[in-house]
Amino acid sequence: MRPALWLMFCGLMAACPLSAQTYEAWCERAATAIEHDSLPQAEQYIREALKQDPANPHNALLFSNLGIIQRSQHKYGEALESYNLALGIAPRNVPILLNRAALCMELGQYEQAQADYSLVLDLQPGNRESLLMRAYIYRQKNDYRLARADYDTLLKRTPQDFEGRLGLAMLEQKEKKYDDALSLLTRMVDEKAEGTSLLTSSQHAVVYVARAGVEKDMGDNDRALTDLNEAIRLDASLPEAYLVRGQVYLLQQQKGLARQDFERAAALGIPMAELKGWLEQCK
């Protein structure tokens, strides 16, 4: 976060007229505070700058930075208000729209996030983040046609996009088009053996977990276990691998092994609330 904010503040200070020395000084102090990771102090300095010159058109940038700082401190309501104020000044600013959309996703405000991503795509039709996230929102709303349209748009531009291909495979799985999902994921797996893949080991692990999920849905638990074991070999810190493997073990009535995997998934960050039902089935 700090380098991006620093560049934004430098641009702001360069644009400030010489007559606004006090306003500029508060911006400089805020930038320095950010460099030293003193976020509460940076927030205070930004507020001082805003009070010094409330009509300055560059306040959109200050409000945006204020929102970033507040979000990093988990002050989500205040961050949202700051982004709203920033967009009140610069309603078509793409970075600010993306920041607000990401925050709305965290807050579960999918309708507002979708609106922001749609506006970004009106301004920048090929914006990758907006295509991916809007497709995800459509997928969650079971609007498969629109989700597919966004994935197709992205993959026409960048056919090898990892998240785009993975998202499309998950869409196929959700539509119960298991053969199509399996084909997409197997192609991604085979690229590694062919030496044409640019994915990292961790990304390949994610692909194996995704393919295992499809195989589990198809009732092919042995293949699912093989893929999950390979995923864990590639990245033993991937919590979803243990979650899905625990589910497969439960299907095979191996409750002790399932419990071990669910507990490992919890240790790696999956909320216990999501695991409670699975753990109860291990008794």
Side-chain angles (χ1 to χ4, degrees), residues 76-172:
Y76 299 123
E78 293 179 39
L80 185 57
E81 181 181 0
S82 294
Y83 289 142
N84 289 342
L85 290 168
L87 289 166
I89 300 170
R92 296 166 71 83
N93 183 292
V94 168
I96 301 174
L97 283 165
L98 291 174
N99 280 337
R100 185 172 71 176
L103 176 59
C104 287
M105 291 295 292
E106 277 191 72
L107 297 174
Q109 298 179 12
Y110 288 170
E111 292 300 325
Q112 180 60 62
Q114 180 183 323
D116 285 346
Y117 288 129
S118 294
L119 179 52
V120 170
L121 289 168
D122 287 341
L123 299 168
Q124 297 180 358
N127 186 278
R128 178 180 180 273
E129 179 180 346
S130 294
L131 286 168
L132 278 172
M133 296 309 299
R134 193 173 69 171
Y136 171 81
I137 293 169
Y138 286 145
R139 203 173 78 213
Q140 296 302 109
K141 294 165 66 174
N142 297 327
D143 197 334
Y144 302 137
R145 180 181 63 83
L146 291 178
R148 186 178 297 277
D150 278 350
Y151 285 129
D152 287 346
T153 298
L154 174 63
L155 292 172
K156 281 178 184 176
R157 290 174 174 268
T158 51
Q160 296 302 109
D161 188 280
F162 170 67
E163 290 177 290
R165 297 167 81 188
L166 190 64
L168 181 58
M170 294 174 71
L171 176 63
E172 303 283 20

Side-chain angles (χ1 to χ4, degrees), residues 78-274:
E78 293 179 39
L80 185 57
E81 181 181 0
S82 294
Y83 289 142
N84 289 342
L85 290 168
L87 289 166
I89 300 170
R92 296 166 71 83
N93 183 292
V94 168
I96 301 174
L97 283 165
L98 291 174
N99 280 337
R100 185 172 71 176
L103 176 59
C104 287
M105 291 295 292
E106 277 191 72
L107 297 174
Q109 298 179 12
Y110 288 170
E111 292 300 325
Q112 180 60 62
Q114 180 183 323
D116 285 346
Y117 288 129
S118 294
L119 179 52
V120 170
L121 289 168
D122 287 341
L123 299 168
Q124 297 180 358
N127 186 278
R128 178 180 180 273
E129 179 180 346
S130 294
L131 286 168
L132 278 172
M133 296 309 299
R134 193 173 69 171
Y136 171 81
I137 293 169
Y138 286 145
R139 203 173 78 213
Q140 296 302 109
K141 294 165 66 174
N142 297 327
D143 197 334
Y144 302 137
R145 180 181 63 83
L146 291 178
R148 186 178 297 277
D150 278 350
Y151 285 129
D152 287 346
T153 298
L154 174 63
L155 292 172
K156 281 178 184 176
R157 290 174 174 268
T158 51
Q160 296 302 109
D161 188 280
F162 170 67
E163 290 177 290
R165 297 167 81 188
L166 190 64
L168 181 58
M170 294 174 71
L171 176 63
E172 303 283 20
Q173 180 183 8
K174 195 164 185 180
E175 290 191 86
K176 301 188 186 305
K177 297 178 179 179
Y178 299 128
D179 289 338
D180 290 337
L182 203 61
S183 176
L184 278 168
L185 295 166
T186 298
R187 197 175 312 140
M188 294 174 77
V189 168
D190 289 346
E191 286 168 2
K192 182 182 180 183
E194 295 164 0
T196 59
S197 176
L198 298 177
L199 302 184
T200 65
S201 292
S202 293
Q203 288 174 322
H204 274 293
V206 171
V207 175
Y208 276 110
V209 173
R211 190 169 72 170
V214 176
E215 291 161 341
K216 175 173 70 69
D217 287 351
M218 297 174 74
D220 195 344
N221 294 323
D222 289 338
R223 285 185 183 274
L225 278 179
T226 298
D227 276 352
L228 290 164
N229 290 334
E230 178 62 12
I232 291 169
R233 186 189 70 80
L234 291 169
D235 185 357
S237 66
L238 193 64
E240 291 80 9
Y242 298 97
L243 172 62
V244 179
R245 194 171 69 173
Q247 294 168 352
V248 173
Y249 281 144
L250 266 183
L251 290 171
Q252 295 181 332
Q253 297 300 310
Q254 300 187 68
K255 295 185 177 182
L257 292 175
R259 172 175 286 280
Q260 289 178 23
D261 272 355
F262 292 141
E263 290 174 348
R264 180 62 175 157
L268 289 171
I270 292 185
M272 188 57 70
E274 294 183 24

Side-chain angles (χ1 to χ4, degrees), residues 42-63:
E43 181 176 353
Q44 178 187 344
Y45 293 152
I46 291 174
R47 292 189 184 280
E48 291 295 336
L50 291 167
K51 285 193 288 186
Q52 180 67 28
D53 191 357
N56 193 307
H58 298 291
N59 285 346
L61 186 55
L62 285 186
F63 278 122

